[in-house]
Amino acid sequence: MERLKDKVAVITGAGSGIGRAAAELMSRQGARVVVADFDTEAAAETAALIDKAGGLTLPVTVDVTDEGSIVDMVAATVAEFGALNVLCNHVGGTNPRTDLDVLRMDMDEFHRAVSRNVTSTLLGTRHAIPHMIRAGGGSIINTASVAALVGDVLQTSYGAVKAAVVSITKSTAVQYGPRNVRCNAIAPGAVMTPALENNLPDGVIESLKQGNALPRLGSSEDIGHTMVFLASDESRYLTGQLLVVDGGMTMQSSAAPGRRAQLPA
Ligand SMILES: NC(=O)c1ccc[n+]([C@@H]2O[C@H](COP(=O)([O-])OP(=O)(O)OC[C@H]3O[C@@H](n4cnc5c(N)ncnc54)[C@H](O)[C@@H]3O)[C@@H](O)[C@H]2O)c1
């Protein structure tokens, strides 16, 4: 089944983790995929995986914090594939070593976080929309996080910038819905990507698992499948929404992990 037949999808941050999984899954569903990443080699690796599986792809080197670079990415997409139907503004994140509580957080890191998460989402959106309108509509998928929904003792910048991503998602959906451009966001929970694995202190994985209703942490494919759905016409009546894909992490009562042993075997 080719759920994304005839669609051209641009995915930023597709050289690794969730972005790479989304690129492979979208290609499997028939999309032509632009694999956009800061890391030229990583983008080429993702593109090679797609090529090997028989998909059509274009690796592009991009810095999503730079407007000129975004303009070039969009131009390269349209030059190669003739259209742009789906944009995943996926690059984001902060440095967990310096993104601390409000008293100790590094303000330079905060400004970098705004640039990597918020500016990048706005720039990708504003340069993709004219092409989507020309194509009769399109789907923009922004990557937020459960950090946008709950407070934490650390990662003040991360929560703030991801909340801004949710707000941009709603504004875009309202402003361009009349032109048939949909815009939704995904809030992943803990997903075992290189970014997360390399930064987690010992013991944290087990406590994260305890915080989930489902008995495991997320995989890149778990999020990638949701991105395929949002890119496809199956989600055609869905816009301005935040889909929380977190294994039940944020809906669970804080008492639940301690009471789990009381469940019947
Ligand atoms: N992994 C998780 O648990 C998790 C949870 C919630 C949200 N997220 C979000 O998912 C997104 C990606 O996370 P991931 O775990 O897939 O990360 P990752 O580190 O595996 O991949 C990020 C990719 O983005 C690229 N990149 C970084 N800066 C860039 C720039 N300026 N321009 C272009 N490319 C750039 C990197 O080269 C890398 O290939 C982020 O927005 C992150 O906040 C991740």
Side-chain angles (χ1 to χ4, degrees), residues 93-157:
T94 59
N95 181 347
R97 289 182 187 85
T98 51
D99 183 8
L100 305 172
D101 60 87
V102 287
L103 294 191
R104 294 179 303 148
M105 66 192 268
D106 178 324
M107 289 312 292
D108 289 339
E109 172 57 26
F110 175 72
H111 293 300
R112 275 194 296 275
V114 171
S115 182
R116 203 179 309 137
N117 294 267
V118 183
T119 311
S120 63
T121 300
L122 281 171
L123 290 177
T125 299
R126 77 192 298 183
H127 290 290
I129 280 177
H131 295 284
M132 292 182 173
I133 291 174
R134 210 162 292 140
S139 174
I140 298 172
I141 303 162
N142 295 330
T143 300
S145 164
V146 291
L149 303 173
V150 294
D152 204 341
V153 292
L154 300 172
Q155 295 200 289
T156 311
S157 299

Side-chain angles (χ1 to χ4, degrees), residues 139 141 182 184-186 226-232 235 238 243:
S139 174
I141 303 162
R182 300 185 294 112
N184 294 286
I186 299 181
T226 310
M227 290 165 87
V228 168
F229 168 66
L230 289 175
S232 80
S235 60
L238 210 134
L243 298 195

